């Protein structure tokens, strides 16, 4: 289970252990140390291959009071069906025979490690920022929350675009917000929709079109974001990183809008905001902020009990209208 959320989703650390890797400080642990969001972002198989279909409640049913021996009053509910097309995210690594002869197997292991870590980190960047305009790409959090409103994308009031950034509050889980993948394509190698495949020795062309030989590894991910409950993802936009103001009231408003009023929620903040909040935690008179040590994640900053994770993918210099 994910350390912070207490949900049944599989974290990268657990996927690493489940598949028999003894070195838990290797490939995935390194990424999670740098990008804690990956340790709380849940991945689940899609329900229709490259398409994931789910429903959102538009109108709930209700009961009515009745007398004994009085008939029932029919209630109706309205559901909206959402179809999410999963996208394919891929690359490959190539290590020439010459490098293998000079450096041995470590050359390939190092290359694969760096490519794999880069794939996960760049994928997470798109989970946060992708606007959904590229038909090949997923729509990320910023794409879903790209206009200021009264409930789901709140305006902190900053005006100097170069200084502006956002933070996100999210309740992750199978019925709220998660990532879906197609196990038929990527398998369930790590439980996160990532498939790595050793293609063995291959012929390859360098930048000048000259033929060379070496060993290739492919990396494939399938992904689509399921936002089943709109209130499970809230953005606070236009926070000025220079004026030191903390949008405390807006965060409280966001917390009370979340489906479970913050139970199981996390807050994602860019580095300048995270650093600002850490300094607030050092102020003993500010009881809203606390710092706790959590297994595998180290020191975790919290606001009103909600973990704040540093997420460097959140952009600085972006105004949301």
């Amino acid at each position: 289970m994910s350390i912070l959320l207490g949900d049944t989703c599989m974290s990268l650390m657990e996927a690493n252990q489940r598949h028999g890797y003894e070195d838990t400080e290797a490939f995935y642990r390194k990424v999670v140390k740098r990008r804690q969001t990956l340790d709380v972002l849940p991945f689940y198989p899609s329900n229709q291959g490259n398409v994931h279909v789910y429903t959102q409640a538009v109108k709930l049913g209700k009961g009515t009071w009745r007398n004994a021996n009085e008939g029932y009053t029919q209630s109706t509910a309205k559901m909206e069906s959402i179809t999410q097309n999963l996208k394919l995210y891929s690359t490959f690594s190539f290590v020439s025979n010459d490098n293998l002869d000079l450096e041995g197997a470590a050359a390939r292991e190092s290359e694969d490690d760096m490519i794999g870590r880069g794939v996960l980190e760049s994928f997470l960047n798109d989970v946060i920022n992708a606007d959904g305009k590229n038909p090949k790409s997923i729509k990320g959090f910023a794409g879903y929350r790209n206009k200021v409103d009264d409930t789901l994308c709140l305006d902190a009031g900053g005006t100097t675009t170069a200084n502006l950034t956002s933070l996100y509050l999210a309740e992750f889980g199978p019925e709220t917000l998660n990532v879906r993948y197609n196990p038929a394509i990527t398998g369930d190698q790590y439980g996160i929709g990532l498939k790595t495949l050793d293609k063995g020795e291959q012929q390859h062309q360098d930048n000048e079109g000259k033929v060379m030989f070496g060993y290739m590894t492919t990396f494939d991910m399938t992904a689509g974001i399921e936002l089943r409950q709109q209130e499970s993802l809230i953005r606070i936009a236009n926070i000025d990183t220079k004026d030191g103001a903390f949008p405390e009231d807006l965060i409280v408003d966001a917390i009370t809008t979340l489906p479970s009023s913050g139970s199981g929620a996390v807050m994602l903040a860019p580095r300048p905001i995270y650093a600002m909040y850490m300094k607030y935690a050092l102020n003993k008179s500010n009881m809203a902020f606390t710092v706790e040590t959590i297994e595998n994640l180290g020191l975790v900053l919290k606001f009103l009990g909600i973990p704040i994770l540093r997420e460097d993918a959140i952009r600085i210099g972006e105004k949301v209208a």
Side-chain angles (χ1 to χ4, degrees), residues 199-249:
K199 303 292 285 188
E201 189 173 19
Q202 300 283 328
Q203 179 178 306
H204 185 57
Q205 290 185 339
D206 64 15
N207 293 334
E208 298 178 355
K210 297 178 181 179
V211 173
M212 60 194 306
F213 292 89
Y215 285 79
M216 180 183 293
T217 303
T218 57
F219 300 81
D220 291 290
M221 295 188 75
T222 55
I225 293 178
E226 178 184 35
L227 182 55
R228 180 165 290 203
Q229 292 191 46
Q230 290 293 328
E231 296 81 6
S232 62
L233 177 65
I234 301 175
R235 181 181 190 177
I236 300 178
N238 304 326
I239 304 172
D240 195 312
T241 60
K242 300 297 184 182
D243 67 7
F246 175 61
E248 186 173 284
D249 290 347

Side-chain angles (χ1 to χ4, degrees), residues 2 4-9 36-44 124 127-128 141 168-179 225-229 231-234 258-260 262-268 307 309 311:
S2 178
L4 290 180
L5 296 185
D7 204 340
T8 56
C9 60
Q36 293 178 338
T37 305
L38 282 170
D39 200 48
V40 298
L41 182 65
F43 294 76
Y44 303 107
L124 180 57
V127 168
I128 301 295
F141 295 171
Y168 293 89
L169 284 93
E171 279 190 14
F172 294 120
E175 300 298 325
T176 50
L177 175 62
N178 58 76
V179 176
I225 293 178
E226 178 184 35
L227 182 55
R228 180 165 290 203
Q229 292 191 46
E231 296 81 6
S232 62
L233 177 65
I234 301 175
L258 291 167
S260 300
S263 176
V266 295
M267 190 184 310
L268 308 180
L309 304 183
E311 182 43 68

Side-chain angles (χ1 to χ4, degrees), residues 268-285:
L268 308 180
R271 190 202 63 78
I273 301 299
Y274 184 86
M276 183 192 307
Y277 295 171
M278 185 67 80
K279 293 173 184 176
Y280 288 161
L282 295 176
N283 183 350
K284 303 302 183 183
S285 64

Side-chain angles (χ1 to χ4, degrees), residues 55-164:
T55 57
Q56 288 182 343
V58 177
K59 175 187 174 184
L60 299 178
K62 62 179 181 179
T64 56
W65 297 103
R66 68 185 182 93
N67 295 317
N69 300 318
E70 180 183 354
Y72 287 84
T73 300
Q74 181 179 355
S75 179
T76 60
K78 184 178 179 181
M79 306 293 290
E80 181 180 1
S81 179
I82 307 294
T83 299
Q84 175 70 273
N85 293 313
L86 305 192
K87 308 298 183 178
L88 187 62
Y89 191 66
S90 306
T91 191
F92 71 91
S93 67
F94 181 84
V95 178
S96 69
N97 288 342
D98 292 336
N99 283 341
L100 288 173
D101 290 340
L102 291 171
E103 303 177 36
R108 188 179 186 194
E109 293 174 2
S110 177
E111 179 77 3
D112 286 354
D113 178 85
M114 290 186 292
I115 295 292
R117 288 162 56 190
V119 164
L120 285 174
E121 292 204 37
S122 59
F123 165 76
L124 180 57
N125 290 346
D126 284 347
V127 168
I128 301 295
N129 293 311
D131 58 17
K133 295 179 181 179
N134 179 357
K136 296 180 181 180
S137 171
I138 61 174
K139 180 191 284 189
F141 295 171
Y144 282 106
R145 300 289 176 260
N146 59 2
K147 293 182 180 180
V148 168
D149 59 32
D150 294 331
T151 54
L152 302 179
C153 186
L154 307 179
D155 187 0
T159 57
T160 306
T161 299
N163 300 338
L164 301 185

